[in-house]
């Protein structure tokens, strides 16, 4: 299957700072990528849809100014958590559609801890 | 609104004890139903996509089936390495590549 690479896998930051997470599709082009958040023992909650060359579409309840998404190329989307607070600590996962346009492949996830 | 419900939430099995996981769904025009495996601290790993009722797919000890209202993931003679959370998700025709996930089933296989 297609490969989606997410970086970093773990990050610890101080409260009030910003953190950037990268999601790359390594062997295919993805016009659309998705960002999810997952709390312990819970399923994936879609945060936003990242569209190459245009603004991201955010799910209800997700703060656009806090979770900045940039999809600058067909292989890279970034999620920046701005002014992070302890309640932003979570597992963030990205996905990209595969070449068949009906599949979805996931990155390895990023464990964010805000102290 | 698309909805996915998985049961049971957790399943403890002895090695070799076959069982089935359920995924009930409602979706406006199903494009595909996906099964993923997720290990702790990792992203979901793709297992199967099912597109139409009656379809079945197999991979090693796993077999996925689909009806118009639900999907089953059968685990035959599981091994401890099958321990993971299994996630079901649906994709609606009008939703592009967007997936709606169920809550998952945590499977623990004891030797």
């Amino acid at each position: 299957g297609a490969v989606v690479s997410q970086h970093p896998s773990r990050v610890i930051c101080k409260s009030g700072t910003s953190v950037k997470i990268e999601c790359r599709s390594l062997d295919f082009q993805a016009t659309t990528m998705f960002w999810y958040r997952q709390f312990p023992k819970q399923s994936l909650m879609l945060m936003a849809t990242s569209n190459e060359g245009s603004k991201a579409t955010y799910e209800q309840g997700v703060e656009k100014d806090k979770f900045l998404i940039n999809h600058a190329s067909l292989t890279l989307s970034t999620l920046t958590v701005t002014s992070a607070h302890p309640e932003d600590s979570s597992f963030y996962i990205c996905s990209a559609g595969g070449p068949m346009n009906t599949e979805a492949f996931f990155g390895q996830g990023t464990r964010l801890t805000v102290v | 609104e698309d909805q996915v419900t998985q049961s049971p939430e957790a399943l403890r099995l002895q090695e070799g004890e076959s069982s089935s996981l359920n995924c009930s769904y409602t979706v406006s025009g199903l494009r595909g139903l996906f099964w993923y495996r997720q290990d702790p601290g990792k992203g979901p790993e793709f297992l199967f996509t099912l597109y139409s009722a009656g379809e079945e797919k197999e991979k090693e000890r796993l077999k996925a089936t689909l009806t118009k209202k639900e999907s089953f993931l059968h685990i035959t003679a599981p091994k401890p390495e099958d321990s993971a959370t299994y996630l079901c998700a649906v994709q609606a025709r009008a939703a592009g590549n967007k997936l709606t996930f169920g809550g998952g089933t945590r499977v623990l296989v004891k030797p």
Side-chain angles (χ1 to χ4, degrees):
Chain A
V3 179
V4 176
S5 177
Q6 190 173 338
H7 178 81
S9 58
R10 287 178 177 273
V11 59
I12 301 173
C13 70
K14 291 186 177 180
S15 188
T17 62
S18 295
V19 173
K20 180 185 284 188
I21 303 170
E22 292 188 349
C23 180
R24 294 180 184 273
S25 56
L26 297 186
D27 50 2
F28 65 99
Q29 294 182 331
T31 55
T32 305
M33 291 186 178
F34 300 88
W35 288 96
Y36 295 84
R37 184 172 180 175
Q38 187 176 34
F39 291 104
K41 296 189 177 181
Q42 294 189 23
S43 192
L44 282 72
M45 297 299 297
L46 181 65
M47 298 174 65
T49 303
S50 171
N51 303 299
E52 189 269 335
S54 64
K55 290 183 179 180
T57 304
Y58 290 82
E59 296 298 302
Q60 193 172 7
V62 177
E63 297 178 59
K64 301 178 184 181
D65 295 332
K66 180 161 195 63
F67 299 100
L68 300 180
I69 292 173
N70 187 319
H71 196 150
S73 76
L74 288 171
T75 59
L76 174 64
S77 175
T78 61
L79 168 68
T80 301
V81 183
T82 63
S83 186
H85 288 94
E87 57 265 30
D88 298 323
S89 299
S90 190
F91 193 55
Y92 294 87
I93 312 174
C94 70
S95 78
M100 298 298 291
N101 204 38
T102 57
E103 308 144 307
F105 296 94
F106 286 81
Q108 305 94 317
T110 297
R111 171 71 60 193
L112 170 63
T113 303
V114 185
V115 297
Chain B
E1 184 180 333
D2 303 334
Q3 288 193 329
V4 181
T5 303
Q6 290 187 247
S7 61
E9 288 187 7
L11 190 60
R12 296 166 69 100
L13 300 171
Q14 285 296 129
E15 184 172 1
E17 179 189 0
S18 301
S19 188
S20 294
L21 315 182
N22 178 266
C23 171
S24 297
Y25 66 91
T26 55
V27 64
S28 52
L30 179 71
R31 173 185 278 179
L33 184 140
F34 297 75
W35 282 99
Y36 290 88
R37 169 194 170 124
Q38 186 177 26
D39 293 304
K42 302 279 184 65
E45 175 190 341
F46 173 77
L47 293 174
F48 305 107
T49 309
L50 301 168
Y51 296 101
S52 58
E55 189 175 0
E56 298 183 351
K57 288 193 176 174
E58 288 188 67
K59 180 180 180 181
E60 296 181 356
R61 293 176 294 281
L62 301 177
K63 179 180 177 180
T65 61
L66 181 67
T67 72
K68 289 185 178 179
K69 294 183 179 180
E70 57 192 351
S71 176
F72 291 94
L73 183 67
H74 308 278
I75 310 178
T76 302
K79 298 182 178 182
E81 52 262 43
D82 295 322
S83 298
T85 295
Y86 291 86
L87 298 169
C88 171
V90 296
Q91 187 181 67
R93 287 198 194 94
N97 284 347
K98 180 178 174 179
L99 296 177
T100 301
F101 279 88
T105 295
R106 294 190 305 278
V107 175
L108 176 63
V109 183
K110 292 198 164 187

